[in-house]
Amino acid sequence: RDELEEKGFQLEYKDEEDELVNIQKSYETLYDLSGLTKEEQNILEAFSVFPYIPLAAETCNEWLLADAGVSEDDDILTGLYRKGWLQFDMKKAGYSLHPVFAKFIYEKCKPRIEAHHGLIKECQKCMETLEIGYNLEDYYYISFAENIVEKIGIESDIENIQFIDILAYLLQYMGRYKNAEVLYKKSIEVTEETFGKKHLETAISYSNLAVVYKKQGNYEMAEELYKESLMIHNEILGEEHFDTNACCNNLAGVYKKQGNYKMAEKLYKKSLHIYERILGEKHPFTATSYNNLAGLYRIQGKYGKAEKLYKKSLIIRRGLLGEEHPSIATSYNNFAVLYDDCGKYKKAKKMYEKSLILRKELLGEKHPSVAAIYNNLAMLYSNIGKYKKAEELFGKSLVIRKEVLGEEHPDTINSYNALAELYNNMKEYKKAEEFYKKSLTARLIMFGEEHIDTANSYNGLASVYRNQRNYEIALNYYLKAYNAYIYILGLTHKYTQIVYKNLKGAYMAYNPEGNFEQWLEEKMKETE
């Protein structure tokens, strides 16, 4: 203590105005006098990068000891705890570094990437073993990975580009599209600089970012990136390579979302013919291609064609995978959606129930795929007017999604929207309004104004107000939906035209003597 006070360190003191003084500089003095080993400094540097959340002791052993090049026998973490540098949370059995310590250690040491390759490697291993589709609480250390990227400068290092891509993929699964977009953009910068724009690694980076844009409803940017990726794959690997074919399928999926069914069909057929020729009919990739094309025909109302292809896909999958496989459950679900769409509700119900039983057996009760079947089955009951049964199943789906995916995941928000639609049909308008507003608020934050899901929330909320004869507010929301649909899908798309009719109907109810076309023209000019 004498030595510390000679250096100007005081444990606690106040200034002339009796205010407690920030003693961070004194902690720096303490750090210099502590006689820390190189390994101890390495561990404290790593902790200075982390968020202030206890990191499980077991994970600390995996990450930090490997990073510092020491073994558990050295008991270095316990030593740092006893010296007062680390905190230990007994309930969570985890170590953390106090934010005051973390701040000055980070600023003093400026952790460099070359000193922490071990930390990055071990963190990446943990991310690679995460099981997609299970409780997001298991993903608690994603925030540690984000801080590593942000504070160590990992984004500029080509050796660790896989770390960024894995983290971005997990963030995308969690519904954190903006965060994933930022990381994938960094990945593109590094791959372009390292390999050039006409390299397979760069093409993969383009495809990764395209997925995020597609999820966000930015189909124009997704299309552009998929086209660029497809061109590179064609030039390097040729038209008939599996990876090229995957790019072809991805681009077809964007065209389907945009309502450009001719281009989508052309690419799906091209991909299918390649798989049939190279792999033959009895191959999982060929079965998936049949499914993709069938899904397109279903959306277009070509139910006979869709059913035929779904059957081909199911026969192939049964032959290759047996009856008890997740892909078989997916095929049953596809049939159910098809029968639901064309009004064959008994057949649809039977297929949904078969899919549900199989998914429960294979994946357990608390899995997003099980929640999806509950949701689909609830939609069926809603379509046939069995609202109480629908409410029960929507509730089951919502409980699983909230627990497994979290409150802010897109699928959870979709459950709120589905419940809102149900309550609107049941004429329980207050409940409908509450759930539509919940979904709209979340979608605006997640996607912004110009996304198909946001537009759907606007349209749904407008219908609630229209049903209550509150036409002025209804018109406002219909206009927002109409503008969004025009931007995303174009003026002639069937969904845009449906909203147009809704908008016109609400206007004529509000102002029977008015000139709707003139009013709409004026409103569109205001929007511009």
Side-chain angles (χ1 to χ4, degrees):
R1 178 162 183 164
D2 289 342
E3 189 178 1
L4 287 172
E5 288 182 348
E6 280 178 16
K7 297 281 185 179
F9 185 94
Q10 289 176 278
L11 294 176
E12 187 178 290
Y13 65 94
K14 296 182 180 180
D15 63 12
E16 293 174 0
E17 296 176 0
D18 208 34
E19 292 290 329
L20 193 66
V21 173
N22 185 330
I23 57 174
Q24 185 167 313
K25 291 291 180 186
S26 297
Y27 286 122
E28 291 185 37
T29 303
L30 178 60
Y31 182 84
D32 291 335
L33 290 170
S34 290
L36 295 167
T37 66
K38 181 184 175 184
E39 290 77 18
E40 287 175 324
Q41 288 178 15
N42 184 283
I43 284 172
L44 290 180
E45 273 188 29
F47 269 107
S48 77
V49 169
F50 293 160
Y52 185 50
I53 306 169
L55 183 62
E58 186 180 344
T59 309
C60 283
N61 287 336
E62 289 176 12
W63 294 12
L64 300 170
L65 300 185
D67 194 40
V70 293
S71 72
E72 288 185 48
D73 296 335
D74 293 308
D75 217 12
I76 194 168
L77 293 167
T78 306
L80 286 168
Y81 165 67
R82 285 175 179 160
K83 291 175 184 177
W85 286 108
L86 294 180
Q87 297 174 316
F88 188 76
D89 188 315
M90 295 297 290
K91 286 183 179 179
K92 296 183 179 179
Y95 290 99
S96 60
L97 181 68
H98 192 281
V100 173
F101 288 0
K103 182 176 171 59
F104 82 73
I105 290 173
Y106 180 76
E107 290 177 354
K108 180 181 178 65
C109 301
K110 300 292 183 197
R112 292 168 292 108
I113 190 169
E114 52 267 27
H116 295 285
H117 281 300
L119 174 67
I120 294 161
K121 184 180 177 182
E122 293 304 315
C123 182
Q124 182 174 321
K125 279 184 191 175
C126 288
M127 290 196 293
E128 285 171 345
T129 57
L130 280 174
E131 289 191 65
I132 293 298
Y134 289 89
N135 203 318
L136 285 188
E137 287 181 5
D138 297 337
Y139 292 27
Y140 75 98
Y141 52 70
I142 294 297
S143 56
F144 289 87
E146 287 184 279
N147 274 36
I148 290 170
V149 170
E150 181 186 342
K151 292 188 174 180
I152 299 186
I154 187 174
E155 70 272 9
S156 60
D157 189 345
I158 190 63
E159 289 181 28
N160 295 299
I161 206 68
Q162 192 179 5
F163 182 97
I164 292 175
D165 288 342
I166 292 168
L167 176 56
Y169 173 73
L170 292 171
L171 289 169
Q172 174 194 309
Y173 167 70
M174 295 165 74
R176 293 174 56 189
Y177 301 127
K178 294 294 181 187
N179 303 72
E181 181 184 345
V182 169
L183 288 179
Y184 277 138
K185 280 181 175 176
K186 285 179 179 177
S187 179
I188 286 175
E189 284 175 19
V190 176
T191 50
E192 282 185 343
E193 187 177 332
T194 307
F195 302 114
K197 290 188 176 182
K198 302 295 182 184
H199 192 278
L200 278 178
E201 290 295 330
T202 309
I204 292 166
S205 292
Y206 290 153
S207 289
N208 289 339
L209 182 55
V211 173
V212 176
Y213 282 134
K214 185 182 175 187
K215 295 272 189 184
Q216 291 176 301
N218 189 344
Y219 302 129
E220 193 175 336
M221 284 299 297
E223 180 189 350
E224 184 182 324
L225 286 167
Y226 275 138
K227 278 182 174 177
E228 194 68 32
S229 181
L230 180 59
M231 183 183 72
I232 295 167
H233 277 86
N234 266 325
E235 287 177 3
I236 298 172
L237 301 175
E239 268 198 350
E240 298 193 346
H241 192 277
F242 294 151
D243 292 345
T244 309
N245 225 16
C247 287
C248 198
N249 266 297
N250 291 336
L251 184 55
V254 174
Y255 286 134
K256 183 170 77 172
K257 286 285 188 183
Q258 289 174 309
N260 188 347
Y261 299 136
K262 282 187 178 179
M263 280 301 298
E265 184 178 5
K266 179 183 176 183
L267 290 177
Y268 277 142
K269 281 184 171 179
K270 181 180 177 182
S271 174
L272 176 59
H273 291 327
I274 290 171
Y275 282 139
E276 284 178 330
R277 189 167 65 255
I278 296 172
L279 303 172
E281 280 200 0
K282 295 179 180 179
H283 192 280
F285 289 172
T286 312
T288 300
S289 271
Y290 286 137
N291 259 323
N292 290 340
L293 190 54
L296 177 66
Y297 287 142
R298 179 186 64 77
I299 289 172
Q300 293 176 282
K302 298 176 181 179
Y303 301 127
K305 282 186 172 183
E307 185 176 19
K308 183 180 177 183
L309 290 172
Y310 278 142
K311 281 180 179 176
K312 286 185 91 168
S313 176
L314 179 59
I315 289 166
I316 295 167
R317 286 174 168 173
R318 273 182 176 153
L320 294 169
L321 307 169
E323 187 64 40
E324 294 189 354
H325 190 277
S327 292
I328 304 298
T330 300
S331 283
Y332 290 149
N333 185 65
N334 290 338
F335 273 113
V337 174
L338 172 68
Y339 294 140
D340 200 351
D341 280 0
C342 59
K344 296 178 180 179
Y345 298 122
K346 282 186 179 180
K347 277 189 171 184
K349 180 174 174 288
K350 183 181 176 183
M351 285 295 181
Y352 278 137
E353 287 172 348
K354 285 181 81 169
S355 180
L356 180 62
I357 290 166
L358 192 51
R359 282 184 175 176
K360 278 184 178 180
E361 285 176 0
L362 297 171
L363 305 171
E365 176 73 36
K366 293 180 179 179
H367 191 279
S369 294
V370 174
I373 296 293
Y374 279 135
N375 191 78
N376 291 346
L377 198 49
M379 292 290 287
L380 183 147
Y381 280 115
S382 179
N383 289 339
I384 60 178
K386 293 188 177 181
Y387 297 134
K388 287 299 177 185
K389 185 64 179 175
E391 184 180 12
E392 178 195 332
L393 291 168
F394 277 136
K396 280 188 172 185
S397 177
L398 179 59
V399 167
I400 295 169
R401 285 172 168 174
K402 281 169 76 171
E403 187 175 336
V404 176
L405 301 173
E407 287 269 2
E408 297 175 358
H409 193 276
D411 287 352
T412 307
I413 306 310
N414 289 343
S415 282
Y416 289 138
N417 207 73
L419 274 166
E421 189 175 331
L422 176 70
Y423 288 131
N424 195 17
N425 291 335
M426 294 169 73
K427 300 182 180 178
E428 294 187 26
Y429 299 126
K430 291 298 177 188
K431 283 186 179 180
E433 183 181 348
E434 177 193 342
F435 279 103
Y436 271 133
K437 282 184 174 178
K438 266 185 126 170
S439 77
L440 176 59
T441 301
R443 285 169 170 178
L444 281 169
I445 293 167
M446 198 175 297
F447 304 122
E449 290 269 353
E450 291 160 347
H451 189 277
I452 195 73
D453 287 349
T454 309
N456 289 340
S457 288
Y458 279 139
N459 189 53
L461 197 50
S463 71
V464 171
Y465 288 119
R466 182 183 177 184
N467 288 339
Q468 296 177 89
R469 293 181 171 79
N470 194 339
Y471 298 117
E472 193 170 355
I473 297 178
L475 284 170
N476 180 46
Y477 283 115
Y478 275 137
L479 270 172
K480 287 177 180 287
Y482 186 56
N483 276 314
Y485 280 124
I486 289 173
Y487 178 81
I488 300 160
L489 302 173
L491 192 60
T492 59
H493 195 278
K494 66 177 181 180
Y495 293 146
T496 311
Q497 290 303 304
I498 288 169
V499 178
Y500 173 83
K501 288 177 183 176
N502 291 339
L503 179 59
K504 186 174 182 179
Y507 177 83
M508 297 311 296
Y510 179 61
N511 186 8
E513 305 300 322
N515 186 327
F516 171 70
E517 297 299 337
Q518 183 181 336
W519 173 84
L520 182 59
E521 187 178 343
E522 288 170 5
K523 288 293 180 183
M524 296 302 282
K525 281 180 182 176
E526 285 175 21
T527 305
E528 287 172 12

